[in-house]
Amino acid sequence: GAGVSQSPSNKVTEKGKDVELRCDPISGHTALYWYRQSLGQGLEFLIYFQGNSAPDKSGLPSDRFSAERTGGSVSTLTIQRTQQEDSAVYLCASSYDGPYEQYFGPGTRLTVT
Amino acid sequence: DAKTTQPPSMDCAEGRAANLPCNHSTISGNEYVYWYRQIHSQGPQYIIHGLKNNETNEMASLIITEDRKSSTLILPHATLRDTAVYYCIVRVRAGGTSYGKLTFGQGTILTVHP
């Protein structure tokens, strides 16, 4: 079946602009996660949605970052007033509820110039 | 979160078994051990996970010690395509039936050579 998809695959933006990154999870998965990976760095958790529960936003690095999940499916990660340090690959993953494996998308490579 | 310790790098000859160790001495009773790998420029790929019993699937085997303080991922016949960063992760229960985020460390860079 279809895996996790993300768009765009690449995004180049100017410092100070807002960007939106999209994630389409695997159908039926109730949990959705956002991570990011900066050049030469490990994978860093950003935010986690689980069903109708309040999202776990503990990984968001600043209030310029926000995310929403509409209808329990598609999610959008928004970065306002982008900075050069926001340049990274942003990865989305989804899973069933419980101790099940997370399936990752291919990521969106964001470059802030 | 329970912390894991992995060697930074390992080498393996093609066709031989690759045994990747992981220490997780502070693991709690309801925390699972997961293994993921990341091949260059791709998203992480799930390999296997377990709680206390040994597990095997089409990709690998996971051996967890009886005290659960360490585990070993075994790739039985490594190929060049298995060259990747391998992450051992202990996943904390978030509440109810939810297990929440994965906390990735630095992982082990496995290089499979001809």
Side-chain angles (χ1 to χ4, degrees):
Chain A
V4 177
S5 60
Q6 294 186 244
S7 60
S9 54
N10 281 284
K11 176 73 176 178
V12 180
T13 191
E14 293 179 352
K15 178 181 170 182
K17 302 277 190 185
D18 298 351
V19 295
E20 285 189 351
L21 312 179
R22 177 186 168 106
C23 172
D24 284 86
I26 292 172
S27 178
H29 281 186
T30 55
L32 186 146
Y33 314 78
W34 284 97
Y35 298 84
R36 75 173 176 181
Q37 188 168 31
S38 305
L39 187 62
Q41 301 296 312
L43 282 127
E44 174 189 15
F45 164 77
L46 297 177
I47 188 169
Y48 157 54
F49 296 90
Q50 172 52 53
N52 295 322
S53 302
D56 175 0
K57 304 180 182 180
S58 61
L60 294 179
S62 78
D63 58 8
R64 296 186 295 105
F65 288 72
S66 63
E68 63 177 21
R69 188 178 186 193
T70 54
S73 181
V74 171
S75 178
T76 302
L77 178 70
T78 301
I79 309 173
Q80 295 179 309
R81 304 181 303 282
T82 51
Q83 304 294 312
Q84 286 187 326
E85 61 262 28
D86 299 334
S87 295
V89 176
Y90 288 81
L91 292 152
C92 176
S94 71
S95 74
Y96 291 111
D97 188 21
Y100 300 102
E101 59 270 31
Q102 295 179 19
Y103 292 90
F104 283 78
T108 294
R109 181 175 297 276
L110 175 67
T111 303
V112 182
T113 61
Chain B
D1 292 358
K3 216 176 153 162
T4 62
T5 304
Q6 299 178 252
S9 64
M10 293 183 65
D11 286 338
C12 179
E14 190 176 20
R16 306 298 289 267
N19 297 280
L20 292 92
C22 179
N23 285 318
H24 31 78
S25 57
T26 59
I27 194 169
S28 298
N30 62 0
E31 292 175 345
Y32 283 75
V33 179
Y34 289 76
W35 284 83
Y36 279 76
R37 73 181 183 183
Q38 190 172 26
I39 295 169
H40 184 61
S41 297
Q42 297 182 20
Q45 178 189 23
Y46 167 80
I47 301 173
I48 199 167
H49 75 285
L51 184 61
K52 52 186 171 184
N53 297 322
N54 297 337
E55 302 287 344
T56 295
N57 63 20
E58 65 279 3
M59 287 182 71
S61 294
L62 174 61
I63 308 298
I64 302 174
T65 58
E66 195 168 337
D67 63 8
R68 303 214 315 131
K69 293 185 177 182
S70 65
S71 60
T72 301
L73 178 74
I74 301 172
L75 307 178
H77 306 287
T79 71
L80 299 179
R81 289 178 297 178
D82 292 322
T83 293
V85 181
Y86 286 77
Y87 297 98
C88 170
I89 300 163
V90 171
R91 194 171 181 197
V92 179
R93 192 165 185 166
T97 59
S98 297
Y99 271 75
K101 66 186 180 185
L102 296 169
T103 301
F104 289 83
Q106 296 304 307
T108 295
I109 300 171
L110 175 68
T111 303
V112 181
H113 51 84

